[in-house]
Amino acid sequence: MANTYRRDGGRVRGRPSNIRRAAASGAIALMLTSLTGCFLLEGPSPRTPERTAPVEPETAPEFMPDGSATDNLPYFTEVLRQYSAGDGPVEGQPIVNAVAESGFDKSAMSVSFDESKTGYAADSIFVSVRIGPDCLLGQIAAEGRGFAAEAEPAIGPDQDVCLIGETRPIDW
């Protein structure tokens, strides 16, 4: 047991008061919180990379029906740029239709869902076109209507998957 003393010098045996214990615990918690905050603030701060909007090409890229995904990437990028610059809805069906109308094979496409499983509108729509062993991958964001496009190898056991996860059936 801890010893405590009275003001008149007499000794009292027993435990420290609950108030003292609470004050000590609070002081320790405050000190640890302060120290933790210092450690979290130290070190390099993350930098957000600058994003540059793709500019309209001087000469319009052309669709190459027999070309590879890499050959058709400039054209695919331009299709997505034009769609994102317009006022069409950022939804799977109109985006797939725009890509198909530009010459790409609709049966080789995949598209993400318009809504999450909880019923919220998708933040962006992903669309892909498989061309041989490679894929053209595109994304159009609902907010700000930004877009991105790239060519990557197909994945999966049969090397035939462009978008990972469950995709929406293209049945129209």
Side-chain angles (χ1 to χ4, degrees), residues 96-165:
V96 165
N97 289 344
V99 173
E101 289 167 7
S102 68
F104 291 101
D105 181 7
K106 189 190 284 189
S107 68
M109 291 185 201
S110 298
V111 67
S112 61
F113 288 94
D114 295 341
E115 291 184 348
S116 69
K117 290 186 178 191
T118 56
Y120 289 103
D123 293 336
S124 59
I125 298 294
F126 292 88
V127 63
S128 69
V129 182
R130 189 168 56 83
I131 301 175
D134 297 316
C135 301
L136 291 170
L137 305 169
Q139 175 186 15
I140 298 179
E143 186 176 326
R145 298 186 67 93
F147 74 96
E150 61 183 38
E152 294 291 333
I155 59 171
D158 297 326
Q159 303 295 303
D160 63 348
V161 175
C162 292
L163 294 180
I164 297 173

Side-chain angles (χ1 to χ4, degrees), residues 64-85:
M64 297 180 201
D66 296 325
S68 67
T70 303
D71 294 337
N72 281 297
L73 179 59
Y75 182 70
F76 182 72
T77 302
E78 180 60 13
V79 170
L80 293 182
R81 187 192 69 74
Q82 287 180 7
Y83 190 88
S84 69

Side-chain angles (χ1 to χ4, degrees), residues 50-66:
E50 277 190 40
R51 296 181 187 221
T52 56
V55 295
E56 186 175 348
E58 290 182 22
T59 58
E62 295 182 19
F63 177 61
M64 297 180 201
D66 296 325

